Amino acid sequence: MGLPVRAPSAAPPPDDRRQGRRSWRGDRAAAVAPLRKRAGRELVFCVAGLPFIVLNPVALFVVAVDLSWFVSNGGRDNPTPTDLAIAVVSVGSLAVLLVSTTAARRLGALHRMLAARLLGVRVAAPPPVRASHAGRTWPGSRDGAGWRVVGYLLAKLPASLIELYAVFFWIGGLVNLSYPLLWGAFRNHPPGVRLDPVPVFTPFGLFGDGTFRVATLGGTFAAAAAGAAMLLAAPWVTRAATSADAWLIRGLLGPGPLAQRVHELELSRASAVDDSAALLRRLERDLHDGAQIRLATLAMNLGMARRKLGDGDEVADAAAVRELVDAALRNAKDALGELRALTRGIHPPVLDTGLPDALASLAADSAIPVELEIGIPVRPTPAIESIAYFCAAELLANAAKHSFANTIALRVTGGPGVLRLSVADDGTGGADPNRGTGLSGLAQRVAVVDGTLHIASPPGGPTTITVELPLRA
C-alpha cells in the first residue's frame, strides 16, 4: 500500500502575481506619499494659512468686545450686553463691506490659488458678478459667493488651529532632535553649578501633562527620540490638516450648485447660438460658391443657346447649340446634387426611419470596415438623433483620415435617460482636440444639450471616443 501523495499547490497564475505586485506597489506608494516633496508644499500651505487665525470673524469679534469693554469702563468689570452688541454690529458691518465690494471674492481667489499651487486642488471660480441696469458691477450684499467666503473664514479658524498643530510637529520635532547638540553647546558651566532641567515639549503637552524635562546629557537623547517621532508623524498630520482645508475650499469657495448650473446653461446657450450662426454661414457659403454659381452658369448657357437659335426656323449652328444645352444639363444635375448634399447636411432623410438605419448607412459607406452594434431601448428625440448621427459621421471620417486603423467598432447603447455612442479603432492613437481634428467642434455641439465627450487615445493606440447625450434635449 503506497503512501498518499499530496498534490503540489498550484502556483498563482501570472495575472494574479502581477495584480499582487501592483497592489503591493500601490500600498507602498500610499505609505510613503506624505514623505515626498508634496509634504513641503503642504507645510507651506499650513504656514500661509496661519494669519487667518487672527484675521477671522471670531477673533475680530473677541477683539471688538475687548476694545468696547476697555473704552466703556476701562476693563474693570465684565463686558456688558452693550459691548457685545457693539462688537456684533462692528463685525457684521465689516462682513457686509467685504461682501459688497470685491474684497471677499479676492480673498476666495487667494485661497483657491494657494490650494492650486501648493496642494494641486483646483477649484473653479464662481460665476462673475452680473452688471446691473445702471452698469454697476460690484457684487452687492446679496452676493452668494462673497458670503460663502465669509463662511469659509469662519470654518477656517478650527482648520487653521489644526494646521498650527501640524506646524508645531515640524518645528518641535526639529528642536527636540537638536537637544543633544544644544546641550553640549549651551550647558557648559563650572562644576558645582546646578542648572534647572530643560523642558521637552511634545504634541501631548498641548492637551495636558505631556511635557517632560531632562537634566542630563543622557536625557537629551530621549528628547531626540521624541523629536524623531514627531518628524515622522508630521507629514501625516499635515496631510490630514490640508485635506480638511481642501474639503472646505471645494465646498465653499467654488461655484454654488445653482450658480454653476446657470453658468453652464449660459455657456450652452452661447454655444448653441454660435453653432447656429456657423451653420447659417456655412450654408450661405456653400450656396454661394456651389449651387448659385452652377445655376448662374446654367442660365448663361441657356441664354447663349437661345441666341444661337435665333428667331427663324433654321438653326445656323446646331452643334454649338447642342453643346450649350448639354453643358446646361450638366450644370443643372450638379446643382441638384449639391442641393441634395446641403439638405442631407441639415437633416439627413435617412434619420426619418430612425438612428439605427442612419448609422448602418454610415457604416456601409465607411472606407474602413465598421463593426456596428446598436442597442437603444427608447428612441431619442429627433434633435438628439441628429447630433448623434453627425457625431458618428465626424468620428468615422476622422478615423479614416488620421488613425491608420484596420477596423472600427461603432457601438450605441441606451441607459436611464442617456444615449451612449462610442467609436473605437485599432489605429495609432494620439487624438488631440487641439490639433484641429474636429473633436473640439464635436465637444461644443454635444455641450449644447448638456452632453459630454470623452477621449481615450494614448500614443500608439487604440483610440476610444465616447459621446454621452440625454435622450431628450
Side-chain angles (χ1 to χ4, degrees), residues 444-455:
Q444 293 178 358
R445 173 172 287 191
V446 166
V448 170
V449 292
D450 290 340
T452 57
L453 185 141
H454 305 280
I455 302 173

Side-chain angles (χ1 to χ4, degrees), residues 266-276 443-448:
E266 289 177 345
L267 293 178
S268 297
R269 182 185 63 184
S271 180
V273 172
D274 294 341
D275 188 62
S276 299
Q444 293 178 358
R445 173 172 287 191
V446 166
V448 170

